[in-house]
Amino acid sequence: MGFLQNNRFRALLASDNVTGYLFIGPFVLGFLAFTLIPVLASIYFSFSRYDLLSPPVFDGLRNFIAMFSDENFWKSLTVTLHYAFVSVPLRLVFALFVAMLFNRKSKLVGCYRTIYYLPSIIGGSIAVSVMWRRLFMADGAVNSALALIGIKSDTSWIGNPKTAIWTLIILAAWQFGSSMLIFLAGLKQIPGSLYEAAEIDGANAFQKFFKITIPHLTPVIFFNLVMQLINGFTVFTQAFVISGGSGDPMNSTLVYALYLYRKAFEFYDMGYGCAMAWVLVLILAVFTALIFKSSSLWVYYETKED
């Protein structure tokens, strides 16, 4: 009897189903522990009064209603919209420009691609944010570089409310590596015969770019636009480090995610923070839906034409 049970147990372990469950088990546990359960909990907390130290108390829509009269909420939303709507186009333009340069045949292209991709890997790190903060201080490298060309400046770019947000935008534009690689992959898919035919017809570089390159890249632009817009609305690390976690000067760098963090973990209003998180999800869903809805007007799919 025991021998039969051992054989059945071994046969069970050797079956493909058990092997599959063992492989997906860690993922399922991780998904439940770090995604599904926290998401469900945040939905409940957003309708509750919860200070992290005592049990949450259901409070209906109080957190959502409080946002309408919260000046900092509207300020953070305005700063984030400004940041996203300026940094995302800048990043995509830089990425496309560099991708077109790297699409040319050269022995060192692989080396150049690696060098230009590095900022995307380390750009969101604490070390780079600290370096960026030092660059734009009154005694930083930016003012030193300006002095070399005869422009004397003692401005602290991160201490001036009018320029502080631009230090974040420039940092975001510098991190174009991932978008650049995707653009480069898209450029590789454009048939060279189209450019040859255009040259025979007498088309110049400007016409080839807008009549061939851009139309064939619209699916890639569409993908990059959605992904970078989401990244723009959820920026946190750079703003936290460069502003010292306060969003100063005068809340000019108080992006949405930073204010959410401060409400949840500095002011211990986790319910309000969770409500802000779900409002952000709603905002991103609206913008993403608008981009998807408009894609039929400007995104070119070759298979659709067939």
Side-chain angles (χ1 to χ4, degrees), residues 216-264:
H216 281 80
L217 278 182
T218 49
V220 179
I221 296 173
F222 170 73
F223 175 79
N224 273 335
L225 180 61
V226 172
M227 298 306 297
Q228 296 306 324
L229 191 67
I230 293 172
N231 287 336
F233 271 90
T234 55
V235 61
F236 172 75
T237 304
Q238 300 91 326
F240 181 87
V241 174
I242 291 175
S243 71
S246 63
D248 285 335
M250 297 177 65
N251 290 337
S252 59
T253 58
L254 185 67
V255 293
Y256 195 95
L258 177 57
Y259 185 53
L260 187 158
Y261 167 82
R262 297 194 68 190
K263 291 294 290 186

Side-chain angles (χ1 to χ4, degrees), residues 36-159:
L36 184 60
I37 294 175
V39 166
L40 295 177
S42 71
I43 294 175
Y44 177 70
F45 293 155
S46 66
F47 293 99
S48 306
R49 184 178 296 149
Y50 183 37
D51 60 3
L52 293 174
L53 302 176
S54 53
V57 178
F58 185 77
D59 204 14
L61 296 173
R62 184 187 69 88
N63 291 321
F64 294 94
I65 295 172
M67 288 182 201
F68 288 98
S69 58
D70 185 350
E71 292 183 2
N72 285 336
F73 168 78
W74 292 109
K75 178 66 178 178
S76 66
L77 186 59
T78 304
V79 170
T80 304
L81 288 171
H82 179 198
Y83 171 85
F85 287 159
V86 176
S87 67
V88 171
L90 275 178
R91 180 183 293 185
L92 294 183
V93 169
F94 272 115
L96 178 57
F97 175 72
V98 177
M100 292 189 69
L101 290 179
F102 288 168
N103 196 37
R104 299 180 177 181
K105 294 180 180 179
S106 172
K107 293 181 179 178
L108 296 177
V109 163
C111 179
Y112 292 150
R113 288 174 189 167
T114 305
I115 293 173
Y116 277 89
Y117 188 64
L118 279 177
S120 291
I121 300 175
I122 61 175
S125 69
I126 297 295
V128 169
S129 299
V130 171
M131 179 198 72
W132 211 257
R133 179 182 172 87
R134 289 295 309 166
L135 285 176
F136 288 93
M137 294 183 76
D139 58 348
V142 173
N143 282 341
S144 299
L146 290 175
L148 290 176
I149 58 175
I151 303 175
K152 294 184 178 180
S153 173
D154 57 355
T155 301
S156 174
W157 303 94
I158 60 173

